[in-house]
Amino acid sequence: MSIKTVVIPVAGMGTRFLPATKVISKEMLPILDKPLLHYAIEEAKSIGIKNFIFVTNINNRFPILYLSRNIRLEKHLEQKSNTKVLKAIKSLTIQSKNIKLVLQKNPLGLGDAVLRTKKYIRDDDFAVLLPDDLILGKNCLKELVAVYNKKKSSVIGSMHVNKNEVNKYGIIKGDILNSKTIKVSELVEKPTHKNAPSNLAIVGRYILKNSIFKYLSKINKGSGNEIQLTDAISLSAKYENVFSFRFTGKRYDCGSKLGFLKAQIASALIDPELKKNIRIELNKLYYESK
Ligand code: UTP
């Protein structure tokens, strides 16, 4: 069975980006000319995902607005014969029957957000993608789906982090199968440096077996007093196979200011129109600030 549905949780408050996120939500912040949401949709669409489920709060209707047609804008671009941009704008549209909004009034945690999508997912396995984890270079979901197809099990995206940063992530314990794949035995949410079972961290990409709903409904509030998806996956690993895969691309934590800035610069450095000038400008800025 192939993965046809992605859950994109966007109900968080984005407090680290206030005051910008007082009005627009975090996934609408742009990296160059595309919002984070756009990168997420492209990553999912390009592996054949058809159904998009957004978990949103009461104020956030941006995903629907961004993915619907804007006839006025299309007419304007037609009149200006701006066919390249027109094509790009149209290609982003997703039919409304393939978009579902699920309300999460209060940010009770990622686990709570995913649990709320059960009625739309029914019996299928599905992907979860956090748009503020931008992964450039290679399609991460594609890599995870390839492992899922072989193992018929849940697969989570992972990467190595510095030992002094383990307290910011869900950390993986398990048996090494090869240089990229681990058979997970336990996940620990935001452990202290001392208690961390490894420095292999979970990032915002998951392929989940449908059974995750059973585990999500069994767990209690965890770290940060939130229902943690990590805890439900960890519980599932006691009864079923769960794998982690160290993806190839480079991940930018666009939920933090530093990660967001790094993503801007990295994107500019590979952008055909910008890459030459950005090097010159960065050098100038660096020497001027000394
Ligand atoms: P974060 O943990 O980064 O939280 O969520 P946040 O609220 O967006 O940001 P800060 O920490 O206040 O700055 C990671 C992703 O999970 C979603 C967020 O919208 C974001 O896409 N999320 C988080 C939910 O949808 N619901 C939640 O209860 C928590």
Side-chain angles (χ1 to χ4, degrees):
M1 193 172 52
S2 61
I3 299 294
K4 288 281 169 245
T5 301
V6 65
V7 171
I8 304 185
V10 291
M13 301 299 259
T15 51
R16 284 169 291 168
F17 269 97
L18 283 170
T21 45
K22 189 178 169 202
V23 180
I24 54 164
S25 58
K26 191 167 54 172
E27 74 283 358
M28 297 312 295
L29 298 175
I31 301 295
L32 300 188
D33 52 1
K34 291 189 279 187
L36 288 165
L37 179 70
H38 190 117
Y39 293 88
I41 301 295
E42 276 181 340
E43 186 175 331
K45 257 188 168 181
S46 74
I47 62 159
I49 282 181
K50 296 272 176 287
N51 306 312
F52 293 79
I53 303 179
F54 294 95
V55 184
T56 69
N57 60 46
I58 206 130
N59 296 318
N60 185 1
R61 290 190 57 81
F62 288 108
I64 285 278
L65 287 173
Y66 193 70
L67 299 172
S68 309
R69 287 187 70 181
N70 180 335
I71 305 288
R72 192 166 157 261
L73 176 66
E74 285 178 19
K75 278 199 177 133
H76 174 78
L77 292 169
E78 260 162 31
Q79 275 162 12
K80 299 267 173 200
S81 304
N82 197 341
T83 40
K84 195 175 155 208
V85 179
L86 181 63
K87 206 174 150 210
I89 294 282
K90 278 187 172 171
S91 75
L92 196 69
T93 308
I94 296 175
Q95 286 187 6
S96 55
K97 69 173 174 40
N98 295 118
I99 306 178
K100 299 279 181 287
L101 290 191
V102 174
L103 184 66
Q104 189 193 33
K105 271 193 197 155
N106 298 306
L108 302 174
L110 191 55
D112 177 75
V114 172
L115 183 56
R116 284 167 194 269
T117 65
K118 188 175 182 328
K119 67 170 177 181
Y120 290 123
I121 291 181
R122 297 198 185 132
D123 297 328
D124 293 340
D125 299 342
F126 60 101
V128 176
L129 189 162
L130 306 190
D132 48 355
D133 264 343
L134 177 65
I135 299 179
L136 298 175
K138 193 156 183 186
N139 188 318
C140 181
L141 277 189
K142 188 175 181 182
E143 289 187 299
L144 300 193
V145 167
V147 182
Y148 162 85
N149 286 339
K150 268 196 221 144
K151 307 275 191 192
K152 305 286 175 237
S153 306
S154 291
V155 186
I156 49 188
S158 69
M159 66 173 200
H160 284 128
V161 295
N162 287 334
K163 288 227 159 66
N164 59 359
E165 284 188 324
V166 288
N167 61 350
K168 295 185 192 155
Y169 295 89
I171 299 293
I172 297 167
K173 182 179 178 186
D175 301 321
I176 299 172
L177 299 188
N178 59 44
S179 63
K180 291 192 161 242
T181 321
I182 301 266
K183 183 170 176 303
V184 176
S185 57
E186 194 185 346
L187 303 174
V188 190
E189 185 65 29
K190 302 190 174 74
T192 59
H193 172 54
K194 253 183 160 181
N195 294 335
S198 72
N199 68 333
L200 195 59
I202 305 168
V203 295
R205 299 290 185 281
Y206 310 78
I207 308 297
L208 296 174
K209 296 288 290 179
N210 193 272
S211 59
I212 195 67
F213 290 118
K214 184 171 73 192
Y215 301 107
L216 276 169
S217 56
K218 279 188 185 154
I219 56 166
N220 298 317
K221 283 181 182 171
S223 160
N225 212 22
E226 293 184 348
I227 301 284
Q228 297 289 354
L229 180 59
T230 304
D231 293 344
I233 301 173
S234 188
L235 180 61
S236 79
K238 285 192 179 154
Y239 304 99
E240 341 181 335
N241 285 340
V242 174
F243 297 90
S244 74
F245 185 79
R246 205 158 52 74
F247 56 88
T248 312
K250 173 117 173 87
R251 175 256 190 186
Y252 297 90
D253 172 14
C254 292
S256 78
K257 283 178 207 161
L258 183 62
F260 184 75
L261 266 176
K262 279 164 77 176
Q264 299 284 5
I265 296 168
S267 303
L269 287 170
I270 53 171
D271 183 272
E273 278 175 32
L274 295 174
K275 63 182 179 189
K276 193 171 156 219
N277 286 335
I278 191 71
R279 275 173 204 279
I280 298 168
E281 295 301 330
L282 283 174
N283 265 325
K284 265 200 228 161
L285 284 172
Y286 179 71
Y287 286 106
E288 280 164 15
S289 70
K290 268 182 145 188

